Amino acid sequence: MSGGPVGVGVVGTGVISAQYLRNLTAFPDVRVVGVADLDPERAAAVAAEHGVPAAPDVASLLATPEVEIVLNLTIPAAHAAVATAALQAGKHVYGEKPLALDPAEGEKVLAEAASRGLRVGNAPDTFLGAGLQSAGRALQQGVIGTPVAVSAITQGPGPEGWHPSPEFLYQRGGGPLFDLGPYYLTAITALLGPVSRVAATARRARDRRVIGSGPKAGTSFEVEVPTHVTALLDLASGAGVAATFSFDSALPRHAIEIIGTEGVLALPDPNTFTGPLRVRHPGDTEWHPSRSQAPPPAAAWASWTWPATSALAPPTGPPAPWPSTS
């Protein structure tokens, strides 16, 4: 890497690029050298909106010496090809999920990087954030005792109601398992360790969907992948996981709860894992509003939110003692 700001080249200027570019342009140690897309006009418009240069095409961006890392925001079907091209151009790669459409393709990408001494990173990186780091610290300190079970659920009616071009989310490499599942599975394995066994079912409720917004509103498209996945996972640590990933539900819900022998830990905003954690112990009738406020009375069961303000700052003190139930 260079001694100054790290040069980043962005490939793909779809909906998710706006969030990445807002963040990338906010940090002084990162410099967006250029953005590129199969649609040069869209790339130019996105570049202008965020005040960064636009490259005429992907090849030109990859040939730019100042680009040290390529941010791969293409559709899943193009992830491996774009990553490989970037590595062959001598660039490190960070990509959106999934790394590739199947394990064999992903292994080829990693082998290419290893042969060139380059690095590959991939979303989601939320386990590095304050929310999951604080959750890990809370579990290590025994706030809920020994974790024995996890409930993970992300469900809703699907992204076609708001996304202007949702077709790729229903093609190979998409669907709720690959689009939203990585946030939940990454959180679970980062906090509790690897999976040892899986049993799952996958179904598709409808063979066609209709785009609900944007210039293509009213257009129907084919669904290629399962849109409702349920799974039971055994973790090597001994905990069990019940997980649901669905684009077919009329009742949106997004949650992870880790159930322990002495309480329950609820993770905040499971797609981003920002905000305070919530803890409830046996006998509590509600989540305590904030650990930063006055502690509960000594006679009450301890229950609080765990501040997630920094991945490095330790918690502000040990949990309040639990009363005896004898």
Side-chain angles (χ1 to χ4, degrees), residues 143-144 264-265 277-281 284 287-288 303-305:
V143 168
I144 62 168
V264 177
L265 175 65
L277 309 180
R278 296 186 298 166
V279 176
R280 181 179 287 177
H281 291 120
D284 290 338
W287 302 102
H288 195 269
S303 180
W304 57 76
T305 59

Side-chain angles (χ1 to χ4, degrees), residues 232-303:
L232 297 175
L233 302 87
D234 281 335
L235 303 183
S237 64
V241 180
T244 299
F245 313 101
S246 181
F247 282 168
D248 294 324
S249 176
L251 298 173
R253 186 184 175 205
H254 311 280
I256 293 181
E257 287 188 338
I258 300 176
I259 300 164
T261 54
E262 299 179 33
V264 177
L265 175 65
L267 302 184
D269 191 5
N271 286 343
T272 60
F273 298 101
T274 57
L277 309 180
R278 296 186 298 166
V279 176
R280 181 179 287 177
H281 291 120
D284 290 338
T285 57
E286 60 183 17
W287 302 102
H288 195 269
S290 173
R291 193 179 185 210
S292 63
Q293 298 178 6
W301 290 92
S303 180

Side-chain angles (χ1 to χ4, degrees), residues 82-121:
V82 171
T84 300
L87 292 167
Q88 291 174 346
K91 317 297 184 183
H92 303 284
V93 176
Y94 184 89
E96 258 298 334
K97 57 195 177 341
L99 173 64
L101 294 184
D102 57 58
E105 199 174 46
E107 288 171 0
K108 290 180 181 178
V109 171
L110 297 179
E112 184 73 32
S115 70
R116 297 174 181 274
L118 297 169
R119 295 185 176 183
V120 173

Side-chain angles (χ1 to χ4, degrees), residues 1-324:
M1 295 293 182
S2 64
V6 175
V8 176
V10 179
V11 178
T13 54
V15 171
I16 196 63
S17 68
Q19 181 175 338
Y20 274 98
L21 287 168
R22 280 195 299 269
N23 291 330
L24 288 170
T25 54
F27 291 93
D29 52 353
V30 175
R31 180 169 67 96
V32 178
V33 177
V35 300
D37 193 278
L38 288 176
D39 183 346
E41 292 184 1
R42 182 168 68 176
V46 169
E49 180 181 353
H50 294 279
V52 297
D57 51 48
V58 175
S60 299
L61 183 70
L62 297 183
T64 303
E66 292 78 14
V67 172
E68 299 171 78
I69 300 175
V70 168
L71 175 59
N72 184 3
L73 304 181
T74 56
I75 64 172
H79 283 180
V82 171
T84 300
L87 292 167
Q88 291 174 346
K91 317 297 184 183
H92 303 284
V93 176
Y94 184 89
E96 258 298 334
K97 57 195 177 341
L99 173 64
L101 294 184
D102 57 58
E105 199 174 46
E107 288 171 0
K108 290 180 181 178
V109 171
L110 297 179
E112 184 73 32
S115 70
R116 297 174 181 274
L118 297 169
R119 295 185 176 183
V120 173
N122 214 73
D125 59 1
T126 43
F127 68 93
L128 297 172
L132 287 181
Q133 291 291 310
S134 296
R137 187 175 292 111
L139 292 173
Q140 290 171 2
Q141 293 190 355
V143 168
I144 62 168
T146 301
V148 297
V150 180
S151 173
I153 185 167
T154 176
Q155 64 183 35
E160 70 270 22
W162 59 269
H163 199 295
S165 297
E167 298 94 330
F168 75 95
L169 292 168
Y170 291 90
Q171 297 169 352
R172 190 172 174 225
L177 179 62
F178 286 94
D179 182 44
L180 298 176
Y183 296 105
Y184 294 75
L185 297 174
T186 296
I188 291 166
T189 54
L191 293 173
L192 299 175
V195 175
S196 60
R197 185 171 58 167
V198 176
T201 63
R203 298 291 186 270
R204 181 169 63 238
R206 302 190 299 280
D207 291 332
R208 300 194 69 82
R209 299 265 177 155
V210 177
I211 300 175
S213 65
K216 295 191 288 186
T219 304
S220 70
F221 60 92
E222 184 178 359
V223 178
E224 299 178 359
V225 295
T227 50
H228 187 93
V229 178
T230 56
L232 297 175
L233 302 87
D234 281 335
L235 303 183
S237 64
V241 180
T244 299
F245 313 101
S246 181
F247 282 168
D248 294 324
S249 176
L251 298 173
R253 186 184 175 205
H254 311 280
I256 293 181
E257 287 188 338
I258 300 176
I259 300 164
T261 54
E262 299 179 33
V264 177
L265 175 65
L267 302 184
D269 191 5
N271 286 343
T272 60
F273 298 101
T274 57
L277 309 180
R278 296 186 298 166
V279 176
R280 181 179 287 177
H281 291 120
D284 290 338
T285 57
E286 60 183 17
W287 302 102
H288 195 269
S290 173
R291 193 179 185 210
S292 63
Q293 298 178 6
W301 290 92
S303 180
W304 57 76
T305 59
W306 197 282
T309 55
S310 170
L312 300 178
T316 55
W322 304 317
S324 171

